[in-house]
Structure formats: structure tokens, C-alpha cells
Amino acid sequence: MILSDRAILDAIQRRDIVIEPYDRTCLGTNSYDVHLSPHLACYVDDVIDARKHNQVEHFTIPEDGFVLRPGQTYLGATLEYTETRRFVPFLEGKSSVGRLGIDIHATAGKGDVGFCNHWTLEISVSQPVRVYAEMPIGQLIYFLVEGEVEVDYSNKASAKYNQRSSLPVESMMWKNAF
């Protein structure tokens, strides 16, 4: 079941959902709009190796925007820091963003109960698109969880993305044993 606007508001009042900064005008019928932070990153190497810690170069979106190019993976972040204690958050692109040919995540749209951080976006485009800091980029949808969670994400020893950061975070696949 997806939370309605009233259920999201109730969860925010109980601190089961935290959104900072919070703006009531961003609350939709059953979602909350999030915005692109001014921080982007790109991998430095031409070949990304799943078994190594690939380095990224961070940069800031200028006031007049930044043109995203096809064939490049851009790591972005949400302006908003979020926490969820009882719900599963899903991040989806806004339809307006999709209609510009922007994908905001390759595979990581689902968060976990206990996720507490800014969301890193895996951005790709089908043609050159100019983006701006603080533009609406996605929407969070919250699902109810059936049953009690044994260990939430913020308390998992294996969680790779618990360190709070307003910057986009590169892949930590290298921490997996394979």
C-alpha cells in the first residue's frame, strides 16, 4: 500500500519520515517531490572496474546550469536528506524530467527501512540536456512494510551507504565479496 498525502504528513509528525529541508508545497497526493542538489560527480577512469574503488571527480552546477551529455554516467544527489523508520521509500523520476530524456536512477530506486541520507542519483540522458541546481528531479513514494523489521538499514553492519553525505556517493560494489 502506498501512503497518501495525509499518511505522509502523519508519519512526518511522528518522525517516522524525516525530510530536511521540508516544504509543504512539495507534497503531492501520494508522493513528495525532491530536488537536484548543486553537486554532481563523474568517474575519472574511462573503464569502471566493479572490483575496485573507482574515483570520482566532484563539481558544482553553475548558476546558468550544466549540460549533461549522453554516454556519461553522472552521479547527483537530492537536496533533501531523508529518513524512514517504518516505510520503504521508492525514488522515481518526475514525468517532466523523463520527458526531457533524463533517467535519474539506473537500478537503485528502492530504499530500505532505516535509510537515512541524501539519495545518490545515477543520471543518464538520451540527448544533451541542461540541468539546474534545485530543480525538481524526482518524487519519493512510501510503501507500508508487512511485519517487523529485524535490523533496519542504519543498523546493518553490511550497509555501505550509511555515512551521511550531501555529495553524490560512488559505487561501493568493491566492498562485496565476489
PDB file of all heavy atoms in Angstrom, residues 37-60:
ATOM      1  N   SER A  37      20.526  18.506  -6.008  1.00  0.00           N
ATOM      2  CA  SER A  37      21.487  19.324  -5.270  1.00  0.00           C
ATOM      3  C   SER A  37      22.439  19.968  -6.264  1.00  0.00           C
ATOM      4  O   SER A  37      22.494  19.573  -7.428  1.00  0.00           O
ATOM      5  CB  SER A  37      22.274  18.461  -4.261  1.00  0.00           C
ATOM      6  OG  SER A  37      23.400  17.882  -4.879  1.00  0.00           O
ATOM      7  N   PRO A  38      23.224  20.945  -5.836  1.00  0.00           N
ATOM      8  CA  PRO A  38      24.175  21.582  -6.762  1.00  0.00           C
ATOM      9  C   PRO A  38      25.404  20.720  -7.055  1.00  0.00           C
ATOM     10  O   PRO A  38      26.239  21.092  -7.855  1.00  0.00           O
ATOM     11  CB  PRO A  38      24.575  22.866  -6.042  1.00  0.00           C
ATOM     12  CG  PRO A  38      24.250  22.654  -4.614  1.00  0.00           C
ATOM     13  CD  PRO A  38      23.148  21.646  -4.563  1.00  0.00           C
ATOM     14  N   HIS A  39      25.492  19.534  -6.425  1.00  0.00           N
ATOM     15  CA  HIS A  39      26.688  18.703  -6.536  1.00  0.00           C
ATOM     16  C   HIS A  39      26.506  17.566  -7.531  1.00  0.00           C
ATOM     17  O   HIS A  39      25.535  16.806  -7.443  1.00  0.00           O
ATOM     18  CB  HIS A  39      27.054  18.126  -5.169  1.00  0.00           C
ATOM     19  CG  HIS A  39      27.159  19.158  -4.108  1.00  0.00           C
ATOM     20  ND1 HIS A  39      28.175  20.085  -4.068  1.00  0.00           N
ATOM     21  CD2 HIS A  39      26.360  19.427  -3.057  1.00  0.00           C
ATOM     22  CE1 HIS A  39      28.002  20.877  -3.028  1.00  0.00           C
ATOM     23  NE2 HIS A  39      26.902  20.506  -2.402  1.00  0.00           N
ATOM     24  N   LEU A  40      27.435  17.439  -8.468  1.00  0.00           N
ATOM     25  CA  LEU A  40      27.487  16.319  -9.397  1.00  0.00           C
ATOM     26  C   LEU A  40      28.868  15.687  -9.311  1.00  0.00           C
ATOM     27  O   LEU A  40      29.818  16.310  -8.821  1.00  0.00           O
ATOM     28  CB  LEU A  40      27.229  16.773 -10.842  1.00  0.00           C
ATOM     29  CG  LEU A  40      25.835  17.268 -11.194  1.00  0.00           C
ATOM     30  CD1 LEU A  40      25.804  17.768 -12.641  1.00  0.00           C
ATOM     31  CD2 LEU A  40      24.794  16.181 -10.997  1.00  0.00           C
ATOM     32  N   ALA A  41      28.978  14.464  -9.803  1.00  0.00           N
ATOM     33  CA  ALA A  41      30.267  13.779  -9.860  1.00  0.00           C
ATOM     34  C   ALA A  41      30.287  12.886 -11.089  1.00  0.00           C
ATOM     35  O   ALA A  41      29.240  12.430 -11.557  1.00  0.00           O
ATOM     36  CB  ALA A  41      30.503  12.953  -8.601  1.00  0.00           C
ATOM     37  N   CYS A  42      31.492  12.653 -11.614  1.00  0.00           N
ATOM     38  CA  CYS A  42      31.711  11.728 -12.723  1.00  0.00           C
ATOM     39  C   CYS A  42      32.903  10.851 -12.382  1.00  0.00           C
ATOM     40  O   CYS A  42      33.842  11.297 -11.713  1.00  0.00           O
ATOM     41  CB  CYS A  42      32.008  12.477 -14.024  1.00  0.00           C
ATOM     42  SG  CYS A  42      30.599  13.354 -14.693  1.00  0.00           S
ATOM     43  N   TYR A  43      32.873   9.625 -12.862  1.00  0.00           N
ATOM     44  CA  TYR A  43      34.027   8.741 -12.676  1.00  0.00           C
ATOM     45  C   TYR A  43      35.204   9.264 -13.471  1.00  0.00           C
ATOM     46  O   TYR A  43      35.048   9.791 -14.571  1.00  0.00           O
ATOM     47  CB  TYR A  43      33.682   7.312 -13.094  1.00  0.00           C
ATOM     48  CG  TYR A  43      32.780   6.638 -12.092  1.00  0.00           C
ATOM     49  CD1 TYR A  43      31.411   6.545 -12.312  1.00  0.00           C
ATOM     50  CD2 TYR A  43      33.302   6.121 -10.915  1.00  0.00           C
ATOM     51  CE1 TYR A  43      30.576   5.945 -11.374  1.00  0.00           C
ATOM     52  CE2 TYR A  43      32.480   5.518  -9.976  1.00  0.00           C
ATOM     53  CZ  TYR A  43      31.120   5.436 -10.214  1.00  0.00           C
ATOM     54  OH  TYR A  43      30.308   4.856  -9.276  1.00  0.00           O
ATOM     55  N   VAL A  44      36.389   9.124 -12.902  1.00  0.00           N
ATOM     56  CA  VAL A  44      37.619   9.629 -13.507  1.00  0.00           C
ATOM     57  C   VAL A  44      38.105   8.706 -14.625  1.00  0.00           C
ATOM     58  O   VAL A  44      38.483   9.162 -15.702  1.00  0.00           O
ATOM     59  CB  VAL A  44      38.715   9.802 -12.424  1.00  0.00           C
ATOM     60  CG1 VAL A  44      40.040  10.189 -13.037  1.00  0.00           C
ATOM     61  CG2 VAL A  44      38.273  10.832 -11.389  1.00  0.00           C
ATOM     62  N   ASP A  45      38.098   7.394 -14.379  1.00  0.00           N
ATOM     63  CA  ASP A  45      38.622   6.437 -15.356  1.00  0.00           C
ATOM     64  C   ASP A  45      37.612   6.173 -16.475  1.00  0.00           C
ATOM     65  O   ASP A  45      36.392   6.206 -16.254  1.00  0.00           O
ATOM     66  CB  ASP A  45      38.968   5.112 -14.665  1.00  0.00           C
ATOM     67  CG  ASP A  45      40.111   5.267 -13.669  1.00  0.00           C
ATOM     68  OD1 ASP A  45      41.016   6.087 -13.926  1.00  0.00           O
ATOM     69  OD2 ASP A  45      40.084   4.577 -12.633  1.00  0.00           O
ATOM     70  N   ASP A  46      38.137   5.858 -17.661  1.00  0.00           N
ATOM     71  CA  ASP A  46      37.279   5.519 -18.795  1.00  0.00           C
ATOM     72  C   ASP A  46      36.591   4.174 -18.591  1.00  0.00           C
ATOM     73  O   ASP A  46      35.473   3.968 -19.048  1.00  0.00           O
ATOM     74  CB  ASP A  46      38.093   5.479 -20.095  1.00  0.00           C
ATOM     75  CG  ASP A  46      38.533   6.865 -20.541  1.00  0.00           C
ATOM     76  OD1 ASP A  46      37.862   7.853 -20.173  1.00  0.00           O
ATOM     77  OD2 ASP A  46      39.550   6.950 -21.256  1.00  0.00           O
ATOM     78  N   VAL A  47      37.300   3.247 -17.918  1.00  0.00           N
ATOM     79  CA  VAL A  47      36.741   1.936 -17.622  1.00  0.00           C
ATOM     80  C   VAL A  47      36.513   1.849 -16.115  1.00  0.00           C
ATOM     81  O   VAL A  47      37.446   2.018 -15.336  1.00  0.00           O
ATOM     82  CB  VAL A  47      37.689   0.798 -18.089  1.00  0.00           C
ATOM     83  CG1 VAL A  47      37.125  -0.559 -17.684  1.00  0.00           C
ATOM     84  CG2 VAL A  47      37.909   0.875 -19.590  1.00  0.00           C
ATOM     85  N   ILE A  48      35.280   1.575 -15.747  1.00  0.00           N
ATOM     86  CA  ILE A  48      34.932   1.433 -14.336  1.00  0.00           C
ATOM     87  C   ILE A  48      35.047  -0.051 -13.993  1.00  0.00           C
ATOM     88  O   ILE A  48      34.499  -0.900 -14.694  1.00  0.00           O
ATOM     89  CB  ILE A  48      33.506   1.948 -14.074  1.00  0.00           C
ATOM     90  CG1 ILE A  48      33.392   3.420 -14.485  1.00  0.00           C
ATOM     91  CG2 ILE A  48      33.131   1.767 -12.614  1.00  0.00           C
ATOM     92  CD1 ILE A  48      31.971   3.935 -14.505  1.00  0.00           C
ATOM     93  N   ASP A  49      35.768  -0.365 -12.923  1.00  0.00           N
ATOM     94  CA  ASP A  49      36.024  -1.744 -12.520  1.00  0.00           C
ATOM     95  C   ASP A  49      35.184  -2.066 -11.282  1.00  0.00           C
ATOM     96  O   ASP A  49      35.350  -1.438 -10.234  1.00  0.00           O
ATOM     97  CB  ASP A  49      37.523  -1.905 -12.219  1.00  0.00           C
ATOM     98  CG  ASP A  49      37.934  -3.330 -11.951  1.00  0.00           C
ATOM     99  OD1 ASP A  49      37.088  -4.149 -11.523  1.00  0.00           O
ATOM    100  OD2 ASP A  49      39.127  -3.637 -12.154  1.00  0.00           O
ATOM    101  N   ALA A  50      34.307  -3.054 -11.394  1.00  0.00           N
ATOM    102  CA  ALA A  50      33.404  -3.402 -10.290  1.00  0.00           C
ATOM    103  C   ALA A  50      34.144  -3.903  -9.058  1.00  0.00           C
ATOM    104  O   ALA A  50      33.596  -3.868  -7.956  1.00  0.00           O
ATOM    105  CB  ALA A  50      32.390  -4.449 -10.749  1.00  0.00           C
ATOM    106  N   ARG A  51      35.390  -4.362  -9.211  1.00  0.00           N
ATOM    107  CA  ARG A  51      36.139  -4.886  -8.071  1.00  0.00           C
ATOM    108  C   ARG A  51      37.043  -3.848  -7.415  1.00  0.00           C
ATOM    109  O   ARG A  51      37.750  -4.179  -6.468  1.00  0.00           O
ATOM    110  CB  ARG A  51      36.991  -6.080  -8.504  1.00  0.00           C
ATOM    111  CG  ARG A  51      36.169  -7.328  -8.665  1.00  0.00           C
ATOM    112  CD  ARG A  51      37.059  -8.534  -8.765  1.00  0.00           C
ATOM    113  NE  ARG A  51      36.246  -9.729  -8.645  1.00  0.00           N
ATOM    114  CZ  ARG A  51      36.605 -10.902  -9.110  1.00  0.00           C
ATOM    115  NH1 ARG A  51      37.752 -11.044  -9.736  1.00  0.00           N
ATOM    116  NH2 ARG A  51      35.825 -11.930  -8.952  1.00  0.00           N
ATOM    117  N   LYS A  52      37.065  -2.622  -7.931  1.00  0.00           N
ATOM    118  CA  LYS A  52      37.934  -1.637  -7.296  1.00  0.00           C
ATOM    119  C   LYS A  52      37.149  -0.397  -6.904  1.00  0.00           C
ATOM    120  O   LYS A  52      36.045  -0.163  -7.391  1.00  0.00           O
ATOM    121  CB  LYS A  52      39.121  -1.288  -8.197  1.00  0.00           C
ATOM    122  CG  LYS A  52      38.846  -0.326  -9.314  1.00  0.00           C
ATOM    123  CD  LYS A  52      40.128   0.038 -10.053  1.00  0.00           C
ATOM    124  CE  LYS A  52      40.054   1.470 -10.522  1.00  0.00           C
ATOM    125  NZ  LYS A  52      41.147   1.907 -11.333  1.00  0.00           N
ATOM    126  N   HIS A  53      37.738   0.375  -6.021  1.00  0.00           N
ATOM    127  CA  HIS A  53      37.122   1.628  -5.591  1.00  0.00           C
ATOM    128  C   HIS A  53      37.426   2.685  -6.656  1.00  0.00           C
ATOM    129  O   HIS A  53      38.512   3.254  -6.674  1.00  0.00           O
ATOM    130  CB  HIS A  53      37.658   2.043  -4.225  1.00  0.00           C
ATOM    131  CG  HIS A  53      36.921   3.205  -3.638  1.00  0.00           C
ATOM    132  ND1 HIS A  53      37.263   3.751  -2.447  1.00  0.00           N
ATOM    133  CD2 HIS A  53      35.855   3.916  -4.074  1.00  0.00           C
ATOM    134  CE1 HIS A  53      36.450   4.759  -2.170  1.00  0.00           C
ATOM    135  NE2 HIS A  53      35.583   4.869  -3.144  1.00  0.00           N
ATOM    136  N   ASN A  54      36.479   2.916  -7.530  1.00  0.00           N
ATOM    137  CA  ASN A  54      36.643   3.858  -8.633  1.00  0.00           C
ATOM    138  C   ASN A  54      36.510   5.285  -8.119  1.00  0.00           C
ATOM    139  O   ASN A  54      35.571   5.605  -7.383  1.00  0.00           O
ATOM    140  CB  ASN A  54      35.591   3.587  -9.706  1.00  0.00           C
ATOM    141  CG  ASN A  54      35.735   2.197 -10.295  1.00  0.00           C
ATOM    142  OD1 ASN A  54      36.569   1.972 -11.145  1.00  0.00           O
ATOM    143  ND2 ASN A  54      34.928   1.263  -9.814  1.00  0.00           N
ATOM    144  N   GLN A  55      37.439   6.123  -8.510  1.00  0.00           N
ATOM    145  CA  GLN A  55      37.455   7.509  -8.046  1.00  0.00           C
ATOM    146  C   GLN A  55      36.507   8.371  -8.883  1.00  0.00           C
ATOM    147  O   GLN A  55      36.311   8.129 -10.078  1.00  0.00           O
ATOM    148  CB  GLN A  55      38.874   8.071  -8.116  1.00  0.00           C
ATOM    149  CG  GLN A  55      39.875   7.313  -7.248  1.00  0.00           C
ATOM    150  CD  GLN A  55      39.455   7.245  -5.791  1.00  0.00           C
ATOM    151  OE1 GLN A  55      39.217   8.269  -5.165  1.00  0.00           O
ATOM    152  NE2 GLN A  55      39.352   6.041  -5.250  1.00  0.00           N
ATOM    153  N   VAL A  56      35.944   9.370  -8.241  1.00  0.00           N
ATOM    154  CA  VAL A  56      35.074  10.323  -8.930  1.00  0.00           C
ATOM    155  C   VAL A  56      35.618  11.727  -8.759  1.00  0.00           C
ATOM    156  O   VAL A  56      36.351  12.022  -7.811  1.00  0.00           O
ATOM    157  CB  VAL A  56      33.616  10.266  -8.407  1.00  0.00           C
ATOM    158  CG1 VAL A  56      32.961   8.951  -8.745  1.00  0.00           C
ATOM    159  CG2 VAL A  56      33.536  10.565  -6.928  1.00  0.00           C
ATOM    160  N   GLU A  57      35.248  12.573  -9.684  1.00  0.00           N
ATOM    161  CA  GLU A  57      35.564  13.999  -9.607  1.00  0.00           C
ATOM    162  C   GLU A  57      34.259  14.735  -9.320  1.00  0.00           C
ATOM    163  O   GLU A  57      33.281  14.589 -10.062  1.00  0.00           O
ATOM    164  CB  GLU A  57      36.162  14.475 -10.928  1.00  0.00           C
ATOM    165  CG  GLU A  57      36.482  15.950 -10.951  1.00  0.00           C
ATOM    166  CD  GLU A  57      37.037  16.387 -12.304  1.00  0.00           C
ATOM    167  OE1 GLU A  57      37.495  15.537 -13.065  1.00  0.00           O
ATOM    168  OE2 GLU A  57      36.985  17.591 -12.566  1.00  0.00           O
ATOM    169  N   HIS A  58      34.237  15.489  -8.218  1.00  0.00           N
ATOM    170  CA  HIS A  58      33.047  16.252  -7.838  1.00  0.00           C
ATOM    171  C   HIS A  58      33.126  17.657  -8.435  1.00  0.00           C
ATOM    172  O   HIS A  58      34.203  18.231  -8.539  1.00  0.00           O
ATOM    173  CB  HIS A  58      32.955  16.365  -6.309  1.00  0.00           C
ATOM    174  CG  HIS A  58      32.660  15.065  -5.636  1.00  0.00           C
ATOM    175  ND1 HIS A  58      31.383  14.631  -5.385  1.00  0.00           N
ATOM    176  CD2 HIS A  58      33.481  14.088  -5.172  1.00  0.00           C
ATOM    177  CE1 HIS A  58      31.430  13.457  -4.798  1.00  0.00           C
ATOM    178  NE2 HIS A  58      32.698  13.103  -4.651  1.00  0.00           N
ATOM    179  N   PHE A  59      31.975  18.199  -8.811  1.00  0.00           N
ATOM    180  CA  PHE A  59      31.905  19.577  -9.271  1.00  0.00           C
ATOM    181  C   PHE A  59      30.531  20.148  -8.953  1.00  0.00           C
ATOM    182  O   PHE A  59      29.616  19.407  -8.593  1.00  0.00           O
ATOM    183  CB  PHE A  59      32.243  19.699 -10.765  1.00  0.00           C
ATOM    184  CG  PHE A  59      31.368  18.872 -11.677  1.00  0.00           C
ATOM    185  CD1 PHE A  59      30.286  19.441 -12.326  1.00  0.00           C
ATOM    186  CD2 PHE A  59      31.638  17.523 -11.897  1.00  0.00           C
ATOM    187  CE1 PHE A  59      29.487  18.693 -13.172  1.00  0.00           C
ATOM    188  CE2 PHE A  59      30.851  16.769 -12.741  1.00  0.00           C
ATOM    189  CZ  PHE A  59      29.768  17.349 -13.388  1.00  0.00           C
ATOM    190  N   THR A  60      30.422  21.454  -9.039  1.00  0.00           N
ATOM    191  CA  THR A  60      29.187  22.157  -8.692  1.00  0.00           C
ATOM    192  C   THR A  60      28.510  22.659  -9.956  1.00  0.00           C
ATOM    193  O   THR A  60      29.172  23.163 -10.875  1.00  0.00           O
ATOM    194  CB  THR A  60      29.511  23.346  -7.763  1.00  0.00           C
ATOM    195  OG1 THR A  60      30.167  22.834  -6.593  1.00  0.00           O
ATOM    196  CG2 THR A  60      28.262  24.082  -7.337  1.00  0.00           C
TER     197      THR A  60
END
